[in-house]
């Protein structure tokens, strides 16, 4: 199976690989997927007092498409508000990376990772609406 | 035509790789045709094109003679009589013919088949098919080293067992089953013994009589012969009878009708003759290369695990799990190597290799495996290149693996409740 040029670019030159301090109150961490399924994504966001995502980091265990999907979303969420980031759809990711049908689950996982990171941030910062 | 065995093999040629092509380390998937094999085949496409079954003219006679010489060469590498070699299209057809042929012929007397969970899909799927027809099949498990437990096999064989089918060498992990012991047991219990030797012929010594083998499947393209041809060895004394899958002109003693492909038969025969002459030295050479590969990787990478028994294994196979790195991602990283992954992420299913799972390899570890197949044209330069390339890719991927971080922090990945997706 041939990968798209964008997938190869993200795989070979992943953006924003790394970790933020998960105990920092301004950092939200999303850990999604499972080793048994062959994909685990960890996405972290650092949110400013104004509610803007000012930094994002990822680590991913998975195939090239999974790595590319998570690398791409770290680029996309930076500079966005939480609501804007939460509105990123897996179909946008799949389209940008030209993922084949068997790799759509990688983009779904990346969308889940954003949502999980936002939820974690809201929970930690007391902005979790469900908890109010 | 020269008599069998009078012609020494030419020295092993080298194959040059086209510029930019990956280093081929997938010899269990297929092998290139040896140039000596191609050379032997060529005249049989053009000037010597006759139908080997034509009895009325020279074209037919010379083709028949060539086919019969090939049959002798194939028989010789497994210690069989040439009359016991039935040409087929490949090992998949041979496995189908052996299992369906025996099951159907003896169905009034016996209705049970014994096989193993790590067999090739063409054996397992044929057994499923026979189950649907009403046969009963026992699928034996394997131990963590990939080998069957002889006591379990003995317990599984009953007076209703028509045939026991156990592969000699596994295609994914290269482990060698105790074929002689299995043959002796089947002989004692009165069941026919079939063995899929697609990965074994030309790699390890085989003797159908010493090993009590009744039926053996062989593939030409796994031993530097052409694709599209294989054989089924069918014992004559005591006779094994089969219902054919393909009927027609009654060629191949009625067991497989259809005009033989003379060039393919000749190439297959030549491939067997070369393999027989070079097997001993080649096995030593490949073992050194494999040890070089494994040693080089172990020296530079922690947390790598060999799948399957390392001692009872053909020298040209290595199957390794690189913990915390997903196999398909790793394959993308080693793009200058042609290898296979035990991760099935490329297929629609997310299930990793059923062979590794049968050994008890954890699903997550099965996802991290690569199969390296070494062969006749693999050089030590190829191996050194592979080591550097793999180490670089694994380090690149571990640096971005959340599981590797957890491992370094001492977190047991099994202790985490993962959301299965």
């Amino acid at each position: 199976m041939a990968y798209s040029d964008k997938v190869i670019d993200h795989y070979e030159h992943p953006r924003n690989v790394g970790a933020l301090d998960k105990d920092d109150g301004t950092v939200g961490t999303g850990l999604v997927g499972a080793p048994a399924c062959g994909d685990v994504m960890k996405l972290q966001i650092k949110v400013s007092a104004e509610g803007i995502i000012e930094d994002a980091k990822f680590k991913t265990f998975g195939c090239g498409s999974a790595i590319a999907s998570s690398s791409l979303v770290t680029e996309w969420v930076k500079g966005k508000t939480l609501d804007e980031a939460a509105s990123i759809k897996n179909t946008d990711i799949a389209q940008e990376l030209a993922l084949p049908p068997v790799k759509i689950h990688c983009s779904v996982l990346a969308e889940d990772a954003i949502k999980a990171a936002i939820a974690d941030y809201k929970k930690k910062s007391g902005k979790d609406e469900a908890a109010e | 035509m020269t008599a069998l065995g009078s012609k020494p093999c030419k020295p092993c040629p080298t194959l040059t790789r086209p510029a930019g092509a990956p280093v081929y380390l997938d010899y269990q998937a297929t092998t290139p045709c040896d140039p000596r094999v191609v050379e032997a085949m060529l005249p049989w496409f053009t000037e010597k094109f006759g139908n080997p079954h034509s009895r009325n003219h020279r074209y037919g006679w010379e083709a028949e003679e060539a086919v019969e010489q090939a049959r002798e060469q194939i028989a010789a590498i497994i210690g069989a009589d040439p009359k016991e070699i039935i040409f087929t299209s490949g090992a998949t057809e041979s496995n189908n013919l052996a299992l369906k042929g025996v099951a159907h012929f003896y169905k009034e007397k016996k209705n049970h088949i014994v096989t193993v969970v790590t067999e090739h899909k063409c054996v397992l799927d044929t057994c499923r098919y026979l189950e649907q027809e009403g046969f009963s099949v026992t699928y034996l498990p394997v131990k963590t080293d990939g080998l069957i437990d002889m006591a379990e096999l003995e317990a599984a064989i009953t007076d209703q067992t028509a045939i026991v089918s156990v592969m000699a060498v596994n295609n994914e992990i290269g482990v060698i089953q105790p074929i002689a012991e299995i043959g002796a047991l089947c002989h004692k219990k009165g069941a026919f013994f079939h063995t899929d030797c697609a990965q074994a012929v030309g790699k390890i010594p085989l003797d159908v009589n010493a090993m009590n083998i009744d039926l053996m499947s062989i593939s030409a393209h796994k031993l530097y012969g052409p694709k599209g041809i294989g054989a089924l060895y069918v014992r004559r004394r005591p006779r094994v009878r089969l219902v054919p899958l393909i009927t027609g002109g009654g060629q191949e003693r009625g067991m497989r009708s259809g005009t033989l492909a003379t060039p393919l038969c000749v190439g297959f025969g030549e491939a067997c003759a070369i393999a027989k002459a070079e097997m001993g030295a080649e096995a030593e050479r490949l073992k050194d290369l494999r040890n070089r590969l494994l040693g080089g990787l172990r020296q530079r990478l922690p947390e790598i695990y060999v799948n399957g028994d390392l001692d009872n294994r053909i020298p040209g196979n290595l199957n390794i799990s690189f913990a915390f790195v997903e196999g398909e991602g790793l394959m993308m990283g080693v793009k200058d190597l042609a290898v296979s992954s035990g991760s099935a992420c490329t297929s629609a299913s997310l299930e990793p290799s059923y062979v590794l799972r049968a050994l008890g390899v954890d699903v997550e570890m099965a996802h991290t495996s690569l199969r390296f197949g070494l062969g006749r044209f693999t050089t030590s330069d190829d191996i050194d290149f592979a080591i550097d390339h793999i180490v670089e890719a694994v380090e690149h991927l571990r640096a971005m693996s959340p599981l590797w971080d957890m491992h370094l922090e001492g977190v047991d990945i099994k202790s985490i409740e993962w959301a299965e997706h």
Side-chain angles (χ1 to χ4, degrees), chain B residues 90-100 122-123 126 194 196 217:
Chain B
T92 291
E93 183 187 331
S94 299
N95 286 334
N96 268 265
L97 178 57
L99 292 165
K100 290 177 185 165
C122 66
V123 167
T126 300
H194 166 250
D196 174 1
S217 300

Side-chain angles (χ1 to χ4, degrees), chain B residues 221-234:
Chain B
H221 78 97
K222 306 286 194 192
L223 72 153
Y224 312 95
K227 292 168 184 61
I229 189 161
L232 181 65
Y233 158 81
V234 184

